[in-house]
Amino acid sequence: MAPTENTHSVQDMRQRRQVTLYGLTWSMPIVVWQLIFFVFPLIFLFVISFWLVKNYRMVPGFDTINWIKMFSKGYFWDTYWRTLGYAGVATIVTSILAFPCAFALAFKVSPKVRRWALFFLIVPFFTSYLVRIYSWQIFLNDNGIFNTLFALVGLGPFQLLNNFFGTLVGYLTLCLPLVVVLQLISLANVDRTLIEAAHNLGCGRLRTVFQVIIPLAKIGIILGAVFTFILTFGDFVSPYYLGGSKPPTLSILIIDTTKSGQQWPRAAVVAIVMILTLLTIMFASVAAAYRKRT
Amino acid sequence: MSVRPGKSLLLRGYVVLVFIFVFTPILTSFVFSVNSDRFPTIPLGHFTTHWYETIFADPDVWDAFRISAIVSISVAVLATFIGFCTAYTDYRYNFTGKAFYLSLALLPPTIPLVIMGLAMLALLARINMSGEIYSIVVSHVVLCSPFAMAVIRMRLAQIDPDLESAAWNLGASNWRAMREVIVPFCRPAIASAFCLTAAVSFDEFAVAWFVSGLNKTVPVIILEILQGNTDPQINAIGSIVFITSMTLVILAQLILMRKTINQTATGI
């Protein structure tokens, strides 16, 4: 890495393209830390996916047996597609549910209300996700608050917990505030004159939303969707404590494989497949977000 | 834009609904922390401080709060320092491979926490570094530095680039300009990043669960209660955690705002 100057004073020009102790002092800490404690552990994970487990201990080696075993199991692929499906559904549902809210906060309220709304949307990040999931258990279980309320009007009981509905409630708890924030920031930056221009040219209200506003706020919308996908694809808490853990998702599979089975190399295989999937989806979406409209 | 009252009302109602969804689990957690039922439902039981007494009588919980405090403060110091260095590098320098450099800096939050936990434990266990307080610290610094960097980088975007050059032209060295121009300018963002990273670390449970061994942090204790005999102790601990985190966040916000007002007032 060869740091060179970014700004434009005379002194700068002289230092250009010169590696200085000063430059290294500021640029190196993150490189050193992330290489040792982020990149290296992930590489190590890849390495142990070729190791073997003998008498509950990992033995270094090079054997593709873990990859072959995992890839030949229908169970693994079922879980893979299920997790992908869960995350996909969560992404679409969250984006659609968040949009009217972000839209209203961007266009229909005063700046003061918008600032407060933003503050209150950030609060949930600093509450324990686990505690919020436990609260939903109280609401959703068979004798929970919702079913008690339903019983009062002679309905139910419905199964709200230990199925995909429960999982989805958890996913929304995790992602909805974040997605509203990201969409809101993008929508608030949309040039108002373009919207007025569309109206003046006789573009209908709904058509303006879909053909003018959404394309202009594309980056925030896609970013929100990507974050939802990343978070839900890797989350184990919602599918475990609200979805009932069976059938599992990939994260639950990793935990089961390591915590009970001691099969670390196979868990590593699952982890690497997950990372590759996420990277593919991330790069595809970022490319889509920044692609020029034709 | 003209507003049609009917539609606008519908939209407003929807916004309220979203906020109810977001805040229901948070508020009910407070309510159930002082409610007597072991398995809470409606109608509510009577008011009690029993769950708080239970956790305050539990030495494991005290231990967890002590460990969480040590971890989050150490993480905040390291992550804020690393985040500052990275933000300044991004602000001041252009170099080949900068896109790669920034991805390295910002990528960690996109890796699922379970995988981070697994990878960290696999490595740390191999070199006999797992199960210690510092095992949690090193993993959390990886996760938190990007947040610190983002906060400080936003502040640096507001600096007048001529300020640093002016200091050099007046004969200050790089180091002196850093000490007397850049750092004072970033101080509110640094304080804010400190509180933010402390709060993120204080709440993180997945990686901590993998690498902590016997040194359990507060969220790990919550996770274990959730796995075993769930009871409203969770709400009592959760309420304390919430108040701690929110204090940190509001403090961060206040520091940022007051400094900004002061500086506009004094004309810096």
Side-chain angles (χ1 to χ4, degrees), chain A residues 4-6 97 127 134 241, chain B residues 14 91-94 227 230:
Chain A
T4 55
E5 302 292 331
N6 204 6
L97 289 181
T127 66
Y134 173 61
Y241 295 105
Chain B
Y14 184 76
Y91 158 76
R92 181 158 162 195
Y93 295 107
N94 271 326
Q227 285 168 334
T230 312

Side-chain angles (χ1 to χ4, degrees), chain A residues 65-280:
Chain A
I65 185 80
N66 302 306
W67 290 84
I68 294 166
K69 271 266 163 66
M70 285 317 273
F71 279 13
S72 63
K73 271 188 196 159
Y75 182 69
F76 169 75
W77 288 111
D78 290 349
T79 309
Y80 181 80
W81 294 116
R82 184 183 310 115
T83 312
L84 214 57
Y86 279 14
V89 171
T91 304
I92 294 165
V93 170
T94 312
S95 298
I96 291 175
L97 289 181
F99 187 77
C101 182
F103 181 83
L105 291 173
F107 296 113
K108 307 283 179 188
V109 300
S110 65
K112 198 177 165 198
V113 173
R114 193 178 311 141
R115 265 202 303 279
W116 277 105
L118 259 177
F119 172 77
F120 278 109
L121 285 168
I122 292 170
V123 168
F125 294 113
F126 301 101
T127 66
S128 168
Y129 176 42
L130 295 168
V131 173
R132 283 183 284 158
I133 292 303
Y134 173 61
S135 285
W136 281 123
Q137 281 188 349
I138 295 171
F139 276 91
L140 299 175
N141 75 48
D142 291 347
N143 307 312
I145 292 175
F146 282 148
N147 272 320
T148 313
L149 288 175
F150 285 138
L152 288 178
V153 290
L155 290 172
F158 298 106
Q159 178 163 11
L160 305 168
L161 204 60
N162 300 332
N163 54 20
F164 183 61
F165 177 79
T167 308
L168 195 59
V169 169
Y171 285 160
L172 282 169
T173 307
L174 181 65
C175 300
L176 192 61
L178 174 71
V179 176
V180 174
V181 168
L182 290 171
Q183 291 186 350
L184 172 55
I185 293 172
S186 227
L187 286 169
N189 286 327
V190 168
D191 188 347
R192 305 295 163 111
T193 54
L194 287 176
I195 298 167
E196 274 168 36
H199 284 156
N200 292 341
L201 292 170
C203 185
R205 218 157 266 281
L206 217 56
R207 200 168 148 216
T208 311
V209 171
F210 283 101
Q211 299 206 326
V212 178
I213 298 179
I214 290 184
L216 285 172
K218 192 172 72 172
I219 291 182
I221 294 169
I222 294 185
L223 216 58
V226 172
F227 270 108
T228 311
F229 191 90
I230 292 173
L231 288 172
T232 55
F233 191 73
D235 178 44
F236 70 94
V237 174
S238 287
Y240 202 97
Y241 295 105
L242 296 177
S245 83
K246 286 187 183 68
T249 60
L250 289 175
S251 304
I252 295 175
L253 196 63
I254 288 184
I255 292 170
D256 286 350
T257 321
T258 46
K259 295 257 168 183
S260 51
Q262 296 290 330
Q263 266 295 353
W264 286 65
R266 288 188 196 167
V269 172
V270 180
I272 288 155
V273 172
M274 283 177 82
I275 292 176
L276 292 178
T277 308
L278 280 175
L279 286 180
T280 312

Side-chain angles (χ1 to χ4, degrees), chain A residues 134 137-139 141 143-145, chain B residues 32 35-45 51 230-232 235:
Chain A
Y134 173 61
Q137 281 188 349
I138 295 171
F139 276 91
N141 75 48
N143 307 312
I145 292 175
Chain B
F32 292 130
N35 175 45
S36 60
D37 296 331
R38 172 92 169 66
F39 300 103
T41 183
I42 47 172
L44 292 171
W51 308 114
T230 312
D231 70 28
N235 294 320

Side-chain angles (χ1 to χ4, degrees), chain B residues 115-178:
Chain B
I115 297 178
M116 280 304 295
L118 178 71
M120 286 308 283
L121 179 55
L123 179 71
L124 294 176
R126 199 73 197 167
I127 53 178
N128 287 323
M129 270 179 70
S130 76
E132 302 290 337
I133 292 179
Y134 59 72
S135 331
I136 315 172
V137 174
V138 293
S139 327
H140 278 186
V141 170
V142 170
L143 301 174
C144 292
S145 319
F147 293 105
M149 183 215 162
V151 171
I152 296 168
R153 184 65 186 84
M154 280 193 276
R155 176 72 179 160
L156 279 169
Q158 298 167 353
I159 202 171
D160 181 350
D162 292 340
L163 272 181
E164 204 182 9
S165 323
W168 298 329
N169 290 339
L170 292 170
S173 67
N174 265 328
W175 297 99
R176 184 143 182 232
M178 165 60 74

